[in-house]
Amino acid sequence: VQVSAGVDEIICSDEDISLNGSIGGSASTAIWSSSGSGTFDNSSSLNAIYTPSAADLIAGSVDLLLTTDDPLGPCIESFDIVTYTFVEVPTADAGFDQDICAGELANIIATIGGTATSLSWSTSGTGTFDNVSAAIAEYTPSVTDINNGSVTITLTTDDPSGVCGNTTDDLIINIFSLAIVNAGSNQTICSNDVAVLSGTIGGSTASVTWSTSGTGSFVPDATALNPTYIPSAADQSAGFITFTLTSDD
């Protein structure tokens, strides 16, 4: 009776185990068993898949036993053991997505764990990092990033074990254009005239509100971009009025 459970391996702790047993001689069947508490998809298949339990992972390894029958006798059953040792997975967390205004820096904070001992930042855009290998870093968006409206930042860990591979995590930085308003040029009018205001907007501005140092009235109202202002008697007596145009964001 011949049996082989396969070769001992080191595997990543988030993986199922694909077994590769073999039998020979007078053996016709075999069954898998475990020193741990995981589960087999089919314990009587030579190529069964074993899913480790939490207890297996805490133990750090598991022995899987392949035992044959001996239908012809008089030989006794034969068995072989294969050991799988678990390596903890490197973990990476790049943090939450962010919203910033054009011209601002993005402060990014990484958290790594598992077997990870180092990290690096990269970008889908053309901006720059003050330190690509620091857990707390600053990203300066480029003009292209700003024009695109967003950029993806990727955190990548190392894998000292060489078993699990590097781990990555992304965050998105949304970049909003600055709100821009222009109240227009200063004006000189006669005391019995109205003032026609000429505001302009740009960037992320969608609406505006006019306010005044005076006590006159806006027509049709103070939310029109180019309203007419009717000075009050107090405005006329004061001799000048200051208008302020304020944007939303």
Side-chain angles (χ1 to χ4, degrees):
V1 178
Q2 299 170 355
V3 60
S4 173
V7 179
D8 293 348
E9 290 187 35
I10 299 173
I11 67 168
C12 199
S13 60
D14 65 346
E15 296 178 0
D16 289 340
I17 299 173
S18 297
L19 296 167
N20 187 25
S22 62
I23 60 176
S26 62
S28 61
T29 62
I31 189 166
W32 290 99
S33 58
S34 170
S35 67
S37 54
T39 57
F40 297 94
D41 67 335
N42 183 352
S43 61
S44 60
S45 170
L46 292 175
N47 302 118
I49 295 175
Y50 180 78
T51 301
S53 67
D56 293 347
L57 300 179
I58 292 172
S61 66
V62 66
D63 293 331
L64 302 179
L65 177 71
L66 182 63
T67 304
T68 70
D69 65 347
D70 177 31
L72 301 180
C75 299
I76 62 172
E77 294 177 344
S78 183
F79 66 88
D80 188 36
I81 297 174
V82 62
T83 300
Y84 285 86
T85 302
F86 304 111
V87 175
E88 194 173 358
V89 183
T91 62
D93 184 352
F96 296 107
D97 294 345
Q98 299 184 28
D99 295 338
I100 65 172
C101 286
E104 290 183 341
L105 304 178
N107 295 308
I108 50 179
I109 301 176
T111 304
I112 62 174
T115 56
T117 59
S118 65
L119 63 90
S120 63
W121 295 100
S122 58
T123 173
S124 66
T126 54
T128 57
F129 299 92
D130 65 336
N131 187 339
V132 296
S133 59
I136 301 176
E138 290 182 342
Y139 180 76
T140 303
S142 66
V143 173
T144 301
D145 295 346
I146 294 170
N147 290 338
N148 288 337
S150 67
V151 64
T152 299
I153 304 299
T154 301
L155 171 67
T156 303
T157 70
D158 66 339
D159 174 31
S161 71
V163 174
C164 298
N166 299 339
T167 301
T168 64
D169 188 40
D170 293 337
L171 70 89
I172 296 174
I173 299 172
N174 298 304
I175 308 169
F176 293 89
S177 299
L178 297 174
I180 300 171
V181 292
N182 189 323
S185 301
N186 294 338
Q187 299 182 33
T188 300
I189 62 173
C190 289
S191 60
N192 61 346
D193 283 345
V194 297
V196 179
L197 302 176
S198 299
T200 58
I201 62 175
S204 62
T205 303
S207 64
V208 294
T209 303
W210 288 96
S211 57
T212 174
S213 63
T215 56
S217 57
F218 295 95
V219 179
D221 56 53
T223 62
L225 185 59
N226 303 123
T228 297
Y229 181 79
I230 302 173
S232 66
D235 294 345
Q236 294 169 345
S237 297
F240 71 92
I241 317 160
T242 299
F243 296 97
T244 301
L245 181 62
T246 304
S247 76
D248 68 342
D249 176 23

